[in-house]
């Protein structure tokens, strides 16, 4: 950031950062600003007024069974290879060293591996659907449909969406060194919420959700019903 600030000053350009930078429109998620506002409100990043998604041509749903979510996405992927599963970085990448290991193990006997370590084109490989992408491999990419697995680092307790950085994988570089910073808790909270916001905005036509935390799943279902009124 400081390097950008330096060159902006050198070029006599206006510099904006963090909350100063507000996009007036965007093309992700079927071009819907209402969906972005809905996510900000849902994740309790900020309160938003315009978060009604009833009129959106966008498929957003919560699954109780991760296998059902995967099966629905698999069918969609057969059309044009543009559906993928993504997850919060709460699972260690065991399969990187042991190809037989399963990285993500959920209820309903769901098992999956992180994206291939042997390719840099996981997002478009024709045989990569079964692998799950993370924030580091999907940021900046877009698909038609995404299925997002929300791990135990994001939960719903006492009416609030809470984050738990201790549940992140030790391999997640985005949270390394946070404990040494003065505002560590606030930084970790924002990183985790922003992670899921990014994952939930990778789909142009739809976003499917599975939550390890059942209260969080019920909360999201409630928010969807309210946003559809």
């Amino acid at each position: 950031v400081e390097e950008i600030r330096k060159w902006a000053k050198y070029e006599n350009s206006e510099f904006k950062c963090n909350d100063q930078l507000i996009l007036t429109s965007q093309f992700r998620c079927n071009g819907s600003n209402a969906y972005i506002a809905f996510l900000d409100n849902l994740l309790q990043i900020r309160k938003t007024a315009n978060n009604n998604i009833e009129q959106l041509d966008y498929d957003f749903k919560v699954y109780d069974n991760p296998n059902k979510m995967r099966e629905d996405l698999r069918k969609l992927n057969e059309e044009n290879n543009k559906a993928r599963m993504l997850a919060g970085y709460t699972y260690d990448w065991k399969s990187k060293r042991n190809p037989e290991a399963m990285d993500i193990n959920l209820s309903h006997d769901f098992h999956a591996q992180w994206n291939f370590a042997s390719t840099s084109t996981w997002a478009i490989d024709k045989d990569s659907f079964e692998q799950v992408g993370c924030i580091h491999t999907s940021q900046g990419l877009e698909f038609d449909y995404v299925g997002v697995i929300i791990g135990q680092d994001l939960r719903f307790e006492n009416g609030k969406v809470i984050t738990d950085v201790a549940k992140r994988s030790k391999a997640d570089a985005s949270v390394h060194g946070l404990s040494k910073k003065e505002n560590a808790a606030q930084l970790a909270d924002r990183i985790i919420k922003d992670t899921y916001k990014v994952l939930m905005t990778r789909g142009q036509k739809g976003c499917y959700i599975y939550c390890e935390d059942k209260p969080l799943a019920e909360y999201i279902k409630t928010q969807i019903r309210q946003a559809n009124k």
Side-chain angles (χ1 to χ4, degrees):
V1 172
E2 291 308 312
E3 188 71 10
I4 296 172
R5 191 191 305 273
K6 181 184 77 174
W7 286 104
K9 182 178 180 180
Y10 178 81
E11 296 289 347
N12 295 316
S13 296
E14 185 179 7
F15 179 86
K16 291 186 177 182
C17 184
N18 297 330
D19 293 338
Q20 294 177 315
L21 182 62
I22 300 174
L23 298 179
T24 57
S25 64
Q26 54 86 40
F27 295 97
R28 288 196 167 97
C29 310
N30 207 20
S32 172
N33 289 324
Y35 177 68
I36 304 300
F38 168 75
L39 288 184
D40 281 343
N41 195 68
L42 176 76
L43 297 171
Q44 296 181 357
I45 294 174
R46 64 184 179 93
K47 289 186 177 181
T48 56
N50 179 27
N51 59 3
N52 187 298
I53 59 175
E54 182 181 13
Q55 304 301 322
L56 299 185
D57 183 18
Y58 194 77
D59 193 8
F60 186 77
K61 64 179 72 172
V62 179
Y63 285 77
D64 296 322
N65 186 330
N67 290 304
K68 173 61 174 157
M69 181 181 78
R70 177 163 57 184
E71 185 58 33
D72 287 352
L73 286 165
R74 184 183 289 114
K75 292 177 181 177
L76 290 167
N77 190 63
E78 290 173 357
E79 299 176 7
N80 56 8
N81 191 34
K82 289 188 177 181
R84 289 294 185 274
M85 291 180 293
L86 309 172
Y89 210 160
T90 60
Y91 314 99
D92 292 332
W93 196 1
K94 301 175 183 176
S95 63
K96 187 174 184 179
R97 296 182 178 178
N98 178 9
E100 303 300 320
M102 291 292 115
D103 304 309
I104 303 172
N105 301 285
L106 306 175
S107 64
H108 298 83
D109 201 29
F110 175 98
H111 307 285
Q113 294 180 326
W114 283 121
N115 52 276
F116 293 123
S118 59
T119 179
S120 60
T121 54
W122 157 82
I124 59 174
D125 290 347
K126 60 182 178 60
D127 56 349
S128 68
F129 171 78
E130 301 298 332
Q131 277 66 37
V132 179
C134 71
I135 181 65
H136 304 302
T137 54
S138 62
Q139 190 168 5
L141 301 178
E142 291 180 339
F143 310 94
D144 280 354
Y145 294 89
V146 293
V148 179
I149 299 170
I150 300 179
Q152 289 288 347
D153 58 340
L154 194 72
R155 302 193 298 273
F156 188 73
E157 297 179 7
N158 301 317
K160 293 183 178 181
V161 176
I162 67 164
T163 59
D164 186 351
V165 71
K167 298 296 184 181
R168 301 282 276 203
S169 169
K170 293 181 176 61
D172 183 10
S174 65
V175 295
H176 285 177
L178 280 184
S179 60
K180 299 178 182 179
K181 297 187 178 182
E182 185 176 342
N183 56 339
Q186 293 86 348
L187 285 173
D189 183 76
R190 190 58 188 264
I191 287 172
I192 292 171
K193 288 182 177 180
D194 281 350
T195 292
Y196 285 112
K197 181 179 177 181
V198 168
L199 297 182
M200 293 164 72
T201 53
R202 296 307 90 193
Q204 284 277 43
K205 299 179 180 179
C207 176
Y208 300 161
I209 303 292
Y210 174 77
C211 303
E212 281 204 77
D213 183 62
K214 301 311 174 188
L216 180 63
E218 294 305 313
Y219 160 74
I220 296 177
K221 292 177 185 177
T222 300
Q223 292 299 304
I224 292 173
R225 288 193 294 269
Q226 292 180 353
N228 280 323
K229 291 181 179 179

